[in-house]
Amino acid sequence: MSDSAHRPRLAIFARVPVLGHVKTRLAATVGDESALSVYEALLAATLAELVPGNGVFVPEVWVDGDVDAFARWQCRSNAGAMRNLRFPLVAQSDGNLGQRMAAAFDDGVTVLVGSDIPDMTAGYVGTALRLLAVADIVIGPTEDGGYCLIGMNSPHPQLFEGIPWSTPAVLTSTIRAAGNLRLELLEAMWDLDDADDLARWCRAPARPLG
C-alpha cells in the first residue's frame, strides 16, 4: 500500500477558467478578460503551493465544470511549473455549493479549500490537520464573513444545510450549525473578489510559482 493511502485528502475546489464564468464580481469592474487572468494566476499559485503536499496530505482538484477542459487548461498554462504538476482531477457533484462540499466529505476528504485565497499555504492546511487531532471541525475564516478552509474527521452534513452562501453570514451560520461539536478557528484569511482586493494583491510581495 502506498504512503499516500495513509495521508489525509485535501480537496481544492476550483472552476474551469472560462471567460465570463469566473470572478464575476471583479469582472464587473475590470472586464471579463482581466478577471479571467486574475483567476488563472490565483489558481496557478494555489496549485503550485498545495499540490506538492509537503508529505502531509494528498491534494486533489475538485472541478466545477468539465474535467477534461480543466486538464487542457493545465496543459496550455503559461506557467511551466503548472504543466508539470500532477494531481487527481475529480468532478464536483451537482447541487449548490453546500451540497457539493458535503459530497466531497462523504467521499472521504478531510480538508477542503478554495482556489482564490492569495495567502493560502501548505502550512495553513497543515495547521488545520494538526488541530483535527483535538477538534471535530476546523474552519479557516475569511475577512468577509465566509471561510476559505473547512476540515473534519468525519462527515457532518448539517454544516452545509441552510447556509446563506455568498453572504457575510456564512461563517456565523456554520458555527451555529456545528452545535456542540468541538470547533477550532484558524487565523483569518482574505479572498480576492473585487477591485479593492485586486489592488491589495498587487501591493503584496510576489510569490513565485513552483
Side-chain angles (χ1 to χ4, degrees):
M1 185 177 293
S2 68
D3 175 62
S4 63
H6 300 286
R7 285 181 279 152
R9 293 164 59 195
L10 169 71
I12 305 166
F13 261 37
R15 289 184 174 180
V16 178
V18 175
L19 187 70
H21 290 272
V22 293
K23 288 293 157 205
T24 52
R25 282 177 55 191
L26 178 64
T29 303
V30 304
D32 287 340
E33 291 188 3
S34 293
L36 175 61
S37 295
V38 168
Y39 181 70
E40 289 179 311
L42 277 169
L43 178 57
T46 299
L47 297 180
E49 173 66 26
L50 297 182
V51 164
N54 288 354
V56 176
F57 52 83
V58 178
E60 305 169 352
V61 177
W62 286 60
V63 180
D64 179 8
D66 185 89
V67 170
D68 291 336
F70 191 98
R72 290 193 296 272
W73 169 80
Q74 182 191 358
C75 288
R76 67 174 184 268
S77 171
N78 291 328
M82 268 296 301
R83 291 193 295 272
N84 296 326
L85 290 175
R86 295 292 179 266
F87 44 80
L89 293 176
V90 183
Q92 293 183 27
S93 68
D94 295 329
N96 63 30
L97 177 59
Q99 292 167 328
R100 288 181 275 130
M101 289 196 291
F105 285 104
D106 285 342
D107 193 69
V109 162
T110 300
V111 175
L112 185 153
V113 298
S115 54
D116 57 356
I117 308 298
D119 294 334
M120 180 61 67
T121 65
Y124 193 74
V125 175
T127 299
L129 289 168
R130 288 192 295 274
L131 286 172
L132 282 173
V134 297
D136 299 310
I137 305 161
V138 175
I139 294 177
T142 51
E143 295 175 1
D144 61 3
Y147 59 80
C148 61
L149 176 151
I150 184 166
M152 57 191 77
N153 292 308
S154 59
H156 296 288
Q158 73 273 21
L159 299 181
F160 307 106
E161 297 169 355
I163 305 299
W165 304 110
S166 301
T167 75
V170 168
L171 179 62
T172 55
S173 298
T174 304
I175 292 173
R176 189 179 307 117
N180 294 325
L181 293 170
R182 293 169 298 172
L183 185 147
E184 292 283 346
L185 295 179
L186 298 173
E187 175 186 356
M189 292 282 202
W190 62 282
D191 51 3
L192 200 162
D193 283 328
D194 56 28
D196 289 340
D197 297 329
L198 178 58
R200 179 178 179 178
W201 191 38
C202 291
R203 292 193 300 267
R207 189 171 70 198
L209 298 180

